[in-house]
Amino acid sequence: GPLSERPLLEVRLGELHTWISTYSFSPQGLLGAVQRACSSYCAKYIHVKQGGPAGISMLLAGYCLLSYGWNYQHFSKTSYFRSS
């Protein structure tokens, strides 16, 4: 099919620049990309017949990493994280 309809994993490395240039980087286009990614994630990991803990655990691990990144400066300034 057309290059713009292919998912990222089916795009060859030489076609990547052309594939990226087919997308809109306006706020509306970025919102649509986030919605497509969320629905794809939910279809693959959350809304399945026999699901496991993989989908929820990935969300939890991602939240933990983001939370640590947001609070890194606070953690590095406190004395209880420094070794004596």
Side-chain angles (χ1 to χ4, degrees):
L3 185 61
S4 62
E5 294 179 7
R6 287 191 214 165
L8 176 61
L9 294 176
E10 293 180 10
V11 176
R12 294 185 179 170
L13 191 57
E15 301 171 333
L16 187 61
H17 178 68
T18 309
W19 182 79
I20 289 174
S21 66
T22 62
Y23 285 96
S24 170
F25 290 101
S26 66
Q28 201 171 27
L30 292 174
L31 180 63
V34 169
Q35 288 174 341
R36 284 191 306 274
C38 182
S39 65
S40 173
Y41 177 84
C42 286
K44 187 171 183 177
Y45 294 107
I46 306 298
H47 305 300
V48 292
K49 286 186 179 179
Q50 293 181 342
I56 302 298
S57 62
M58 281 192 289
L59 284 175
L60 183 61
Y63 173 75
C64 290
L65 288 173
L66 281 174
S67 177
Y68 181 78
W70 288 329
N71 294 310
Y72 178 75
Q73 288 181 347
H74 174 72
F75 289 152
S76 64
K77 290 179 183 177
T78 56
S79 62
Y80 55 86
F81 278 108
R82 294 183 186 157
S83 59
S84 299

